[in-house]
């Protein structure tokens, strides 16, 4: 109405236009994130006449993790979060993680070498302006090894790969903050020394 009364070039018209106009922004197609992780691994062997390997209580490991996602063909091309068919990749590597072991003669601390990578295909759909659901099929590989432990340390190295299916619900709680809840089923393809009869 102000533009109609006073004209678009008038002071009133420019103020009204600036407040009312919205320039659509292209949907972002790429996201990358990095941070620290903290986890724990334990081993509980259940078998008749158990002689080895030893039980391995949960031991924490920590390190750095980097994840990236690209959704190159969004269905919602403007004013939306990541959506459509996408691809993800992630890597992690432990740092400063140790396990304490007493071999009967001495107590020592030994480094934990934990690393992993994963790649996945996803489909992401925005249910509302604040909610999105993401379904995906990832493939991953993870190792958990003790490179310098003595022979008496009987816990096997773990080197496994998996194929998974999962879904995640994301809540956009702020302009640049998202909280996610999800679950994944992983089918193990290989388990390394954990199931090796030679070990």
């Amino acid at each position: 109405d102000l533009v109609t009364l006073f004209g678009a070039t008038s002071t009133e018209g420019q103020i009204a236009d600036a407040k009312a106009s919205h320039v659509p922004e292209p949907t972002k197609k790429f996201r990358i994130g990095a941070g620290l992780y903290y986890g724990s691994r334990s081993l509980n062997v259940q078998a008749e006449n158990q002689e080895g390997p030893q039980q391995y209580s949960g031991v924490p490991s920590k390190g750095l993790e980097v994840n990236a996602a690209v959704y190159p063909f969004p269905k919602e091309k403007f004013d939306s979060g990541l959506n459509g068919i996408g691809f993800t990749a992630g890597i992690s590597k432990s740092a400063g993680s140790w396990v304490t072991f007493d071999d009967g003669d001495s107590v020592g601390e030994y480094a934990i070498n934990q690393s992993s990578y994963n790649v996945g295909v996803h489909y992401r759909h925005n249910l509302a302006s604040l909610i999105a659901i993401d379904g995906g099929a990832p493939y991953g590989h993870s190792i958990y090894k003790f490179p310098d432990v003595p022979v008496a340390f009987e816990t096997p190295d773990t080197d496994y790969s998996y194929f998974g299916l999962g879904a995640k619900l994301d809540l956009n709680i702020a302009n640049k903050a998202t909280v996610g809840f999800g679950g994944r089923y992983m089918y193990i393809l290989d388990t390394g020394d954990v199931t090796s009869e030679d070990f």
Side-chain angles (χ1 to χ4, degrees):
D1 292 339
L2 290 174
V3 174
T4 303
L5 289 173
F6 300 102
T9 58
S10 67
T11 302
E12 294 82 0
Q14 291 177 358
I15 293 174
D17 186 63
K19 290 183 178 180
S21 65
H22 170 70
V23 179
E25 295 184 2
T27 294
K28 292 179 174 60
K29 301 179 180 180
F30 180 79
R31 179 173 63 197
I32 187 168
L36 300 175
Y37 75 86
Y38 185 87
S40 178
R41 172 184 181 257
S42 60
L43 176 67
N44 181 18
V45 179
Q46 296 179 345
E48 294 181 6
N49 302 319
Q50 173 63 27
E51 296 179 357
Q54 65 181 11
Q55 309 299 317
Y56 182 69
S57 300
V59 175
S61 62
K62 55 186 181 295
L64 179 66
E65 184 172 4
V66 179
N67 291 284
V70 58
Y71 288 73
F73 313 110
K75 296 185 65 177
E76 301 173 36
K77 301 188 182 302
F78 295 95
D79 296 334
S80 178
L82 300 175
N83 69 91
I85 296 175
F87 308 92
T88 61
I91 58 172
S92 68
K93 181 72 175 73
S94 63
S97 299
W98 306 88
V99 58
T100 302
F101 177 65
D102 182 357
D103 63 3
D105 297 326
S106 62
V107 178
E109 285 194 336
Y110 304 94
I112 298 172
N113 178 14
Q114 189 276 328
S115 64
S116 67
Y117 71 85
N118 65 82
V119 293
V121 179
H122 295 254
Y123 183 79
R124 185 178 178 87
H125 178 69
N126 295 316
L127 301 176
S129 59
L130 300 178
I131 304 174
I133 188 168
D134 189 322
Y139 168 83
H141 186 88
S142 180
I143 68 170
Y144 192 96
K145 296 184 177 181
F146 313 94
D148 301 314
V149 294
V151 176
F153 187 80
E154 295 181 338
T155 301
D157 292 339
T158 305
D159 184 345
Y160 68 90
S161 56
Y162 66 88
F163 174 77
L165 290 173
K168 179 182 176 186
L169 183 69
D170 283 336
L171 306 177
N172 300 315
I173 59 175
N175 186 30
K176 293 184 178 181
T178 301
V179 175
F181 306 89
R184 176 187 299 173
Y185 173 80
M186 297 189 296
Y187 179 77
I188 303 299
L189 303 174
D190 183 38
T191 56
D193 286 346
V194 169
T195 55
S196 168
E197 292 185 6
D198 291 336
F199 181 85

